[in-house]
Amino acid sequence: MRTRSGERFSKTVRITADEVTRFAHASGDDNPIHHDAGYARTTRIGRVIASGAHTSSLLMAHTAAHFSRSGPMLGLDFSFRFKRPVFVDQEVRMDWLVVGVRSSTRLRGDVVDLRGRMVSECGTTVVGARGRVLLKDSL
């Protein structure tokens, strides 16, 4: 078994304006709140923010980077709750906790249940997450 219940892993990243703009455009999200500071100032949020697709991608990628270091893995499913905006030029910490591991003969590997979150610089959870990944000996 490559992981166990109770395992935690975290990573801190800075959300830059350039990355937010590039991700929004690359993913087809033309909402100006993700790239137009003038427009963003006219909204109740008041600043450019990262898209939900961007923040959820960072969280999923963190699980892939973590588990693939020790062998093949596949994402099975993820869900997200967007609780607060993620502003540009902000550091966020991504935390994941393994809450369960079970062997699956049908999938030929270990199914890992996860709970995660993205936390702002001031300690507020901005995105909540749940995930399930499959750890395999070989693909």
Side-chain angles (χ1 to χ4, degrees), residues 55 59 79-84 116 118 125-130:
T55 57
L59 281 159
S79 63
F80 303 93
R81 276 191 74 117
F82 304 106
K83 297 173 174 264
R84 301 267 190 273
M118 184 176 278
T125 297
V126 292
V127 181
R130 293 176 182 246

Side-chain angles (χ1 to χ4, degrees), residues 13-27:
V13 296
R14 178 161 289 284
I15 306 295
T16 69
D18 287 343
E19 289 169 348
V20 168
T21 297
R22 278 195 313 271
F23 189 96
H25 288 307
S27 65

